[in-house]
Amino acid sequence: MKSLSIGSAIVLLVLVAASESAKTESTIFGPQPMQYPMPATSTFIVSDFLQFLQTAVTCFNKLRIPEERFPLYLAGVFPNCPETQCFVRCLSANLNLYCDETGSDIDRHYLQYGLGQDYNCFRQKAEQCLAANTSPCNDPCEAAYKQELCFLEEFRKYVDSNMNSLIAAVAVEKTENNPVYYNMNCRLASALAPFGTRDPPPGPLREAQTACVKYLGICKTRLVQYNNSIYPTDHDTMCMVRCAGIIVGFWDDSQGFKLEGLMQLYPQLAADSRAQQQILSCAEQRIATCPPPDTCAKAYNAFRCFLDAQKHGFGVREPQPEEPMSTVVDAQEFMRSISICSKIQRIPKNLQDLYLQGVFPNDEKTRGFMRCFGIRTELYDDMQGPNISRLYRLFGTGQSETEFRRKAELCIKANQPLLDGQDKNVKAYRTLYLCFSKQITAFIRANANAMP
């Protein structure tokens, strides 16, 4: 039988991968491959993003998965079904991140997906999640799937960051008057619109970025990204944002995030008080989740709040949905609900400790807890499912409700085929937690002090 075709967008990605891999040195991804020392005197070769894409496409074709699944997988949405489980196993095994005998390798995941995160935090989180998701399983695909979901957040950030880099790489070739890459850039940008080139930042910020790239010794090709308002989540970029923020006045290591610095660069922001409040609230929450000494991460995460708000435009805002019967749960009540539902469900202390770190393993007790929590906070209803309007008002800082709702409904829809015949707890866990896990985790970590 012929191998499964997965559409022109996927073929295009393979063409880009093949073209870029043929170069002796990638202009965006640096010398490839590199060897990193690993524990037990072993070595591990990190795959660059183009190799990653080739591996994903190979697994996709090999397993004959329906082509409409590929965009979901690239978005980090992995429905709990046999074919997806085997795709996850195939991808991770071929990237040498997982093997059936020893399971997921934390150090290798850190090197492949870590993107400059604090190693100790990364490892602690992974160990806790793996401990809750590693149990005897006769199905090797299911066993791999359960463990690899512990790295889902890092996977999503890795794909998002490097897809931006891929777009920038093709854009660089365009500036060098290469017609093949020019056409490829147009087609790739059309197929992958969310990762396309954006409006350049104001002149003073571009000048600051140029100076900081030179001062910090960052590869000059990265400046092409920054000057197209593309800021990946690697630590070099974070430190560049901090440096530029100090120069133009939106960051100070002692005072923190200074919105007035951005208002001078973007006059339209000065006229939008609601956007200002959203950005400040978002920045406060994100900065609270960063390690105290990491000023680069703090500056970057605060700046991301501005970028998220800017993406949807200043000055024009959608009307807020009315909820006359109730107000949105505040941080203290949110955390109190965790405590109350833990008591109601008789959750053991080891699981409670995980919950307070924003980790909710897929087990029977946790699924029951999540339903209790969702109902108590009115974020979920057995008949209506997740209350997206209410979730937006709690988590939607810096986003338009339309975009927030679109992403939520996409995830909920992807999980619907898996809910037939399942109990209420499973439905709550899959549609509330799995579709809003990133927001729930960030909110818990930012408000840990509000725990009664």
Side-chain angles (χ1 to χ4, degrees):
M1 294 180 66
K2 295 182 179 180
S3 62
L4 178 64
S5 170
I6 58 173
S8 60
I10 309 309
V11 172
L12 180 57
L13 288 174
V14 176
L15 289 173
V16 175
S19 300
E20 286 293 301
S21 296
K23 297 185 177 182
T24 58
E25 180 173 293
S26 168
T27 58
I28 287 296
F29 300 105
Q32 304 296 336
M34 292 183 63
Q35 288 192 339
Y36 295 83
M38 292 293 294
T41 68
S42 64
T43 59
F44 169 61
I45 300 176
V46 176
S47 299
D48 67 26
F49 186 59
L50 301 169
Q51 293 167 333
F52 169 91
L53 281 177
Q54 287 178 311
T55 303
V57 171
T58 299
C59 289
F60 201 85
N61 284 329
K62 179 180 178 181
L63 296 169
R64 302 181 183 277
I65 298 173
E67 63 183 69
E68 62 268 15
R69 286 283 180 87
F70 198 82
L72 289 178
Y73 291 176
L74 279 185
V77 177
F78 296 100
N80 188 4
C81 59
E83 58 193 11
T84 299
Q85 291 174 355
C86 288
F87 172 83
V88 169
R89 175 174 176 253
C90 176
L91 176 63
S92 297
N94 281 280
L95 293 174
N96 294 313
L97 304 175
Y98 176 90
C99 72
D100 292 336
E101 291 74 22
T102 59
S104 297
D105 188 307
I106 296 176
D107 288 308
R108 293 185 175 189
H109 278 83
Y110 176 76
L111 291 172
Q112 183 68 50
Y113 296 143
L115 293 176
Q117 294 184 51
D118 178 78
Y119 172 76
N120 292 326
C121 293
F122 182 97
R123 185 168 191 86
Q124 181 183 23
K125 176 185 173 184
E127 286 176 343
Q128 291 170 341
C129 182
L130 289 173
N133 284 279
T134 303
S135 58
C137 183
N138 294 327
D139 185 341
C141 291
E142 182 181 1
Y145 176 83
K146 290 170 66 177
Q147 291 193 34
E148 288 299 297
L149 284 188
C150 291
F151 305 95
L152 181 59
E153 181 179 350
E154 288 74 20
F155 175 95
R156 288 171 175 165
K157 290 179 179 178
Y158 172 82
V159 172
D160 184 28
S161 171
N162 284 286
M163 193 67 78
N164 283 337
S165 295
L166 181 59
I167 294 292
V170 179
V172 169
E173 297 294 343
K174 170 187 171 182
T175 64
E176 295 175 357
N177 298 318
N178 186 326
V180 173
Y181 281 92
Y182 176 81
N183 293 331
M184 194 176 292
N185 181 50
C186 293
R187 293 167 63 196
L188 189 57
S190 175
L192 301 170
F195 304 101
T197 302
R198 306 166 191 173
D199 293 333
L205 182 52
R206 292 199 305 273
E207 292 175 3
Q209 290 177 167
T210 301
C212 290
V213 164
K214 184 176 181 180
Y215 171 72
L216 296 171
I218 299 173
C219 180
K220 290 183 179 179
T221 54
R222 301 298 298 275
L223 189 60
V224 176
Q225 293 178 285
Y226 305 152
N227 286 344
N228 278 296
S229 298
I230 296 173
Y231 301 92
T233 55
D234 60 276
H235 207 258
D236 279 349
T237 299
M238 293 182 181
C239 289
M240 191 287 300
V241 168
R242 170 184 172 268
C243 173
I246 291 173
I247 292 175
V248 299
F250 68 77
W251 179 259
D252 181 276
D253 286 345
S254 299
Q255 301 176 32
F257 184 55
K258 301 170 65 177
L259 188 60
E260 57 270 21
L262 289 171
M263 290 166 62
Q264 292 177 2
L265 293 172
Y266 299 89
Q268 62 272 40
L269 174 60
D272 192 334
S273 58
R274 184 172 181 272
Q276 295 171 28
Q277 293 174 358
Q278 285 185 331
I279 294 169
L280 288 173
S281 175
C282 170
E284 182 179 357
Q285 292 182 30
R286 292 191 182 181
I287 290 174
T289 66
C290 298
D294 195 344
T295 53
C296 292
K298 290 180 178 180
Y300 175 85
N301 278 283
F303 185 60
R304 289 294 319 181
C305 292
F306 163 76
L307 293 176
D308 290 343
Q310 182 196 34
K311 182 168 60 177
H312 304 293
F314 301 127
V316 179
R317 286 291 179 269
E318 303 167 7
Q320 289 292 304
E322 295 184 3
E323 284 193 38
M325 299 303 294
S326 62
T327 58
V328 176
V329 61
D330 61 20
Q332 186 173 2
E333 185 60 25
F334 185 99
M335 300 303 291
R336 184 167 177 264
S337 295
I338 293 178
S339 176
I340 290 174
C341 285
S342 293
K343 293 176 182 177
I344 292 174
Q345 297 292 317
R346 297 177 180 175
I347 302 297
K349 187 178 185 306
N350 65 314
L351 282 179
Q352 291 185 46
D353 291 341
L354 286 179
Y355 298 170
L356 295 181
Q357 297 175 57
V359 178
F360 296 88
N362 188 1
D363 57 52
E364 185 176 356
K365 284 189 174 294
T366 302
R367 292 192 292 267
F369 163 86
M370 189 55 62
R371 176 171 173 263
C372 169
F373 172 79
I375 291 173
R376 190 179 190 283
T377 56
E378 298 182 41
L379 298 175
Y380 179 83
D381 178 83
D382 283 336
M383 296 297 295
Q384 303 297 325
N387 187 333
I388 298 178
S389 294
R390 192 170 173 83
L391 285 159
Y392 169 72
R393 292 176 65 182
L394 183 63
F395 299 136
T397 301
Q399 303 177 55
S400 74
E401 184 175 2
T402 300
E403 181 65 11
F404 184 91
R405 182 176 291 275
R406 184 189 69 80
K407 292 180 179 179
E409 290 177 346
L410 175 65
C411 180
I412 293 169
K413 183 178 180 181
N415 277 280
Q416 284 301 322
L418 308 175
L419 301 180
D420 293 341
Q422 299 290 343
D423 61 32
K424 293 180 179 180
N425 293 341
V426 171
K427 293 179 180 179
Y429 182 86
R430 295 204 67 86
T431 59
L432 176 60
Y433 175 64
L434 292 186
C435 290
F436 300 93
S437 59
K438 183 177 180 181
Q439 295 94 329
I440 291 173
T441 297
F443 194 88
I444 290 173
R445 293 179 180 177
N447 294 282
N449 293 333
M451 191 69 189

